[in-house]
Each structure stands twice: as structure tokens, then as C-alpha cells.
Amino acid sequence: MIRVLLADDQSLVRAGFRALLDAQPDIEVAGEAADGAEAVRLVGELRPDIVLMDIRMPHLDGLAATRAITGDARLDEVRVVMLTTFELDEYVFEAIRSGASGFLVKDTEPDELLRAVRAVVGGDALLSPGVTRRLIAEFAARSKEPAASAGLGELTEREREVMALVGIGLSNEEIARRLVVSPLTAKTHVSRTMVKLGARDRAQLVVLAYESGLVRPGWLG
């Protein structure tokens, strides 16, 4: 059973998400929070698998709450997906750097939301369709000068290649086609790379790919 915590200051939004999620046989809403501070407290108490976190909330916003959750080693298994009204919300970039596993717009279709919850719990990063490369380009534009990462030395040549492809926004299926391997093999390479680098998920792997200089803005097509 996938346990979800809803964090949004609008009760109607929470009610809508709860009705959809609780109707699924493999998902349950473990709790609700009306602000970021309450979300952090409930995550510590309930240890949900995933938090659907609104970016703009009173007392403590979703960005600060996400940092508190992803920065707590005891909550290492908890994944955060940011909820935003606009696809290119100015805070989405910072949310990904803060450890969020991705983001969704609030008017996402119900089927897409359910797929997203299951995908993130399965270890995939989630970015709304059509926004992935734009978000990565934005990240690249704001990135500091690449710094050498000692962790990259532990990767095999194929793992570095796979990490670079993740960095430019390719899915496991796209990586498999590019490298002429099976999707399962691509997924295995991605998983091993994340373990070696201590990355929580694919979103953090993208950040590391840019910060290490393994991927550069000019690679984006």
C-alpha cells in the first residue's frame, strides 16, 4: 500500500486529491497538512511514502518544508512531489535542487496523478510532460561553474554515459534505444549510478550531472 500525505492550504484541493487517491486499491491518504510546518511534523510521525506538497503555503512554504524533509536522514525513504499552479513556477527549479522528486501542475489529469504517485514511489523522478527539457535548461543556465566530483570516479564508463543521458532528460526507454540495450538494463545502470553517488532519485542525478560538468547546456536539443 502506497501511503500519501497531502500538504495544501486549500481544503477543497486536499479533499479532491483524497477522494481520488483513496479510491485506489493500492493507495491510501495517511494524513493532511494545511501548512508546511504541519507537513514536516506529520511526515516525521506518519512516515508516508510520498508527500504531495503545495509550493505556496502559510507559516512555512513548501520549499522550506521540502528542505526540512529531504535533509533529515531519518526520512530518507520519503519522496516529495511539488504541486504548483503553473508549469514554469519560479520556485520549481529550487524545489528540485532542494530534493523534491519532481513536480505536477494542480490541473493534472487524474490518471496522470495516479501514474505519478506510483512512478515516484518506484524510484523515478517526475516532471510534468513537455517541461522536462525546459526545466533542465533553466537549471543549466543558473548552475555554478562545474566542479569536479570525486563520486564520478567510481562510475564505469557506461554508467557515466547513462548519467549524462539522464541529465539531458531521457527516460529509461529512451536511454535503452540510444544505447541499444533493454529498458531493464538501462534502469539497472541508472539505479547503480544513483547508489554509487548517493542520489535520492533521478531528479538529484540530473543536478549532479550538471554540477559535476558531466552534462553541459550545449547538449540540450
Side-chain angles (χ1 to χ4, degrees):
M1 184 68 73
I2 299 171
R3 302 175 69 248
V4 180
L5 177 72
L6 302 175
D8 195 296
D9 60 334
Q10 298 181 47
S11 58
L12 283 177
V13 172
R14 297 198 308 273
F17 282 144
R18 175 181 279 277
L20 174 64
L21 296 172
D22 276 343
Q24 307 307 307
D26 60 333
I27 302 174
E28 69 174 3
V29 175
E32 297 183 23
D35 60 62
E38 186 179 16
V40 173
R41 179 178 62 80
L42 288 177
V43 167
E45 293 177 4
L46 302 174
R47 303 296 174 92
D49 298 299
I50 183 170
V51 183
L52 294 182
M53 180 88 74
D54 188 21
I55 288 182
R56 295 178 175 85
M57 291 187 291
H59 306 305
L60 188 70
D61 65 30
L63 194 59
T66 297
R67 288 198 191 100
I69 293 167
T70 61
D72 190 333
R74 297 169 299 176
L75 305 176
D76 219 29
E77 299 301 314
V78 179
R79 296 290 177 262
V80 180
V81 171
M82 308 302 296
L83 298 172
T84 177
T85 304
F86 305 104
E87 283 189 335
L88 293 181
D89 189 296
E90 62 184 287
Y91 295 114
V92 167
F93 165 80
E94 292 299 336
I96 299 299
R97 288 201 72 164
S98 297
S101 294
F103 75 97
L104 284 171
V105 289
K106 287 188 177 181
D107 61 356
T108 294
E109 292 295 324
D111 286 348
E112 176 67 14
L113 174 65
L114 297 174
R115 186 198 68 78
V117 168
R118 295 177 178 119
V120 169
V121 170
D124 290 333
L126 178 78
L127 300 174
S128 292
V131 184
T132 305
R133 285 177 174 78
R134 276 184 288 167
L135 182 64
I136 292 174
E138 178 71 7
F139 178 86
R142 298 191 191 191
S143 285
K144 300 171 292 185
E145 188 67 22
S149 173
L152 291 186
E154 300 180 17
L155 303 182
T156 65
E157 184 177 346
R158 177 47 60 94
E159 287 166 349
R160 288 166 66 95
E161 188 176 11
V162 167
M163 180 177 176
L165 294 175
V166 170
I168 62 173
L170 299 191
S171 66
N172 286 345
E173 290 73 19
E174 291 169 330
I175 291 172
R177 288 196 295 272
R178 180 76 66 92
L179 301 180
V180 195
V181 298
S182 71
L184 179 58
T185 297
K187 182 177 181 180
T188 298
H189 284 310
V190 172
S191 298
R192 287 177 179 169
T193 302
M194 288 193 295
V195 169
K196 287 183 178 181
L197 296 179
R200 289 172 62 91
D201 53 32
R202 294 175 75 99
Q204 193 169 13
L205 201 58
V206 170
V207 173
L208 292 173
Y210 275 98
E211 290 188 334
S212 67
L214 185 62
V215 177
R216 297 179 184 276
W219 290 28
L220 294 170

